[in-house]
């Protein structure tokens, strides 16, 4: 199987992360023992990608539950809830993070003692991680069935093993298509300003031997006009009930370009990314990141939104582990959401 990189691993009392800020120049891990360090790692993007930060958040709550278990029951519940709130809010756009933290917290409701609660939260975090990996394999199969033979696909950001519990979402589709012998290659956008495409996607695909061409973000228009791209496939951080999709900044532009050149635009994501509680994309909070991530001369204002929202009418289909959903999404997606 392709896609062996592991972004995170529970090592018995600690959360071990592959530090994605350093890739591909350095492959280094950090070991986190405190839930506050998990919040910081999510914010600094040592771990990133919607499903991966969800899994990290759930393990963060497991660390909190262990650390707080000496408190008396009422102080324990108050502190655990406060830790859950902080973990869930570490980044605002990906719904997988609050979804996973809330699920882990709910698992502790029936616990008899704080030690029991800690154990239940840990088991739930492990279940979320295992389910995400299984979901990605199913997304891969569902998405690959949409591609023609000898397809070249264009993708944005990093949606691979690094962004998930393993295998990937949009890159899961790429991997399955490659394993089935129907993929000619991938065009990966650089993905400014943090270069998830250049540093992470290109690195992952090179390890799997999948032919990859890296382009600067602004080359996508002419690449799509020149022909030969069978589909644009991206991931998502949150999919609203009407099918609007929040994903890495630049996704919206790619969707407009795909439409202009009659290329299908697919969004691949687990059901934990579909949020029926968010009616439309306008209700999604787009994270604004530090201006220092964008190089600018002193005194020049920088706007650095990390995501944008693609309207549902530009999305050809949404690929989840539960199947392939097509418009009208307000109806079709009802069975596609983990929180429905
Ligand atoms: O800011 P990032 O790197 O966390 O953004 C990641 C993305 O936008 C991904 O496309 C999305 O989370 C899906 S990952 C399977």
């Amino acid at each position: 199987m392709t896609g062996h990189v592991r972004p995170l691993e529970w090592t018995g009392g600690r959360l071990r992360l592959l530090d994605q800020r350093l890739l591909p120049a350095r492959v280094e891990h950090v070991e986190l023992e405190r839930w506050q360090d998990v919040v910081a790692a999510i914010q600094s993007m040592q771990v990133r990608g919607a499903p991966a930060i969800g899994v990290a958040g759930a393990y963060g709550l497991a660390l909190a539950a262990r650390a707080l278990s000496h408190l008396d029951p009422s102080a324990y519940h108050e502190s655990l809830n406060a830790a859950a709130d902080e973990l869930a809010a570490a980044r605002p756009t990906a719904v997988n993070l609050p979804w996973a933290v809330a699920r882990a917290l709910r698992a502790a409701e029936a616990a008899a003692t704080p030690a029991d609660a800690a154990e239940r939260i840990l088991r739930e975090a492990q279940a979320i991680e295992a389910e995400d990996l299984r979901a990605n394999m199913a997304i891969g199969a569902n998405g690959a069935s949409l591609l023609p033979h000898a397809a070249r696909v264009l993708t944005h950001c990093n949606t691979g093993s690094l962004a998930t519990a393993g295998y990937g979402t949009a890159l899961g589709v790429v991997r399955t298509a490659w394993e089935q012998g129907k993929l000619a290659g991938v065009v990966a956008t650089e993905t400014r300003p943090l270069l998830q495409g250049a540093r992470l996607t290109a690195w992952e695909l090179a390890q799997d031997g999948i032919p990859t061409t890296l382009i600067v973000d602004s080359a996508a228009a002419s690449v799509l006009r020149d022909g030969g791209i069978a589909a644009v496939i991206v991931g998502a951080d949150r999919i609203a009930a009407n099918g609007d999709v929040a994903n890495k900044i630049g996704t919206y532009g790619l969707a407009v370009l795909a439409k202009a050149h009659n290329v299908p635009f697919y969004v691949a994501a687990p059901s934990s990314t579909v949020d029926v509680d968010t009616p439309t994309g306008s209700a999604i909070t787009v994270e604004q990141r530090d201006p220092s991530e964008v190089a600018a001369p002193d005194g020049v204002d920088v706007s650095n939104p990390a995501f944008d929202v693609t309207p549902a009418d530009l999305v050809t289909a949404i690929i989840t582990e539960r199947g392939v959903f097509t418009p009208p999404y307000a109806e079709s997606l009802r069975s596609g959401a983990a929180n429905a």
Side-chain angles (χ1 to χ4, degrees), residues 46-67:
Q46 285 178 303
V47 60
R48 48 146 298 282
I53 63 175
V55 175
Y59 279 122
L61 195 67
L63 289 174
R66 288 181 168 208

Side-chain angles (χ1 to χ4, degrees), residues 115-134:
D116 182 26
E119 193 49 43
R120 285 171 189 250
I121 290 171
L122 176 59
R123 280 204 302 272
E124 197 68 9
Q126 288 167 328
I128 291 168
E129 183 181 7
E131 282 170 31
D132 187 62
L133 181 57
R134 279 200 300 277

Side-chain angles (χ1 to χ4, degrees), residues 190-215:
E190 204 178 24
T191 317
R192 292 226 154 235
L194 297 181
L195 301 176
Q196 288 92 331
R199 294 188 303 107
L200 308 178
T201 297
W203 182 73
E204 277 196 39
L205 294 180
Q207 288 184 48
D208 287 348
I210 298 176
T212 304
T213 304
L214 185 67
I215 60 170

Side-chain angles (χ1 to χ4, degrees), residues 6-268:
R6 289 193 78 175
L8 78 193
E9 200 175 344
W10 180 258
T11 59
R14 289 175 180 199
L15 181 60
R16 186 169 190 262
L17 299 179
L18 175 55
D19 189 341
Q20 298 193 33
R21 297 174 313 178
L22 308 177
L23 290 172
R26 302 207 313 270
V27 180
E28 285 180 21
H29 293 84
V30 287
E31 303 246 352
L32 309 182
E33 286 179 74
R34 299 168 59 244
W35 67 268
Q36 295 91 338
D37 296 334
V38 178
V39 173
I42 291 170
Q43 288 171 339
S44 71
M45 295 173 61
Q46 285 178 303
V47 60
R48 48 146 298 282
I53 63 175
V55 175
Y59 279 122
L61 195 67
L63 289 174
R66 288 181 168 208
L68 299 168
S69 58
H70 64 279
L71 296 174
D72 68 65
S74 98
Y76 172 76
H77 286 295
E78 200 177 312
S79 304
L80 190 65
N81 285 332
D85 287 348
E86 229 177 289
L87 283 159
R91 291 184 76 189
T93 305
V95 70
N96 308 64
L97 177 56
W99 170 83
V101 172
R103 186 174 146 179
L105 191 62
R106 261 197 322 275
E109 276 169 9
T113 62
D116 182 26
E119 193 49 43
R120 285 171 189 250
I121 290 171
L122 176 59
R123 280 204 302 272
E124 197 68 9
Q126 288 167 328
I128 291 168
E129 183 181 7
E131 282 170 31
D132 187 62
L133 181 57
R134 279 200 300 277
N136 292 337
M137 308 295 291
I139 288 168
N142 291 339
S145 70
L146 301 173
L147 297 178
H149 188 70
R152 260 166 81 76
V153 305
L154 187 146
T155 192
H156 187 51
C157 196
N158 173 266
T159 61
S161 298
L162 289 166
T164 62
Y167 202 66
T169 56
L171 283 198
V173 176
V174 161
R175 289 194 157 107
T176 302
W178 176 251
E179 287 158 12
Q180 292 176 350
K182 67 193 293 194
L183 186 82
V186 175
V187 174
T189 56
E190 204 178 24
T191 317
R192 292 226 154 235
L194 297 181
L195 301 176
Q196 288 92 331
R199 294 188 303 107
L200 308 178
T201 297
W203 182 73
E204 277 196 39
L205 294 180
Q207 288 184 48
D208 287 348
I210 298 176
T212 304
T213 304
L214 185 67
I215 60 170
V216 298
D217 296 327
S218 44
S222 51
V223 167
L224 284 162
R225 188 199 50 206
D226 290 349
I229 299 293
V232 175
I233 314 180
V234 298
D237 285 80
R238 188 182 299 240
I239 301 173
N242 73 338
D244 291 349
V245 173
N247 190 51
K248 179 53 56 195
I249 189 77
T251 301
Y252 175 33
L254 290 173
V256 172
L257 289 170
K259 177 117 183 164
H261 296 98
N262 282 318
V263 173
F265 182 84
Y266 296 126
V267 173

Side-chain angles (χ1 to χ4, degrees), residues 99 239 241 270-277 320-322 325 332-340:
W99 170 83
I239 301 173
S271 57
S272 53
T273 305
V274 181
D275 181 17
V276 289
D277 294 335
T320 80
E321 78 278 17
R322 297 184 184 179
F325 298 89
S332 64
L333 269 183
R334 267 185 224 140
S335 59
N339 69 353

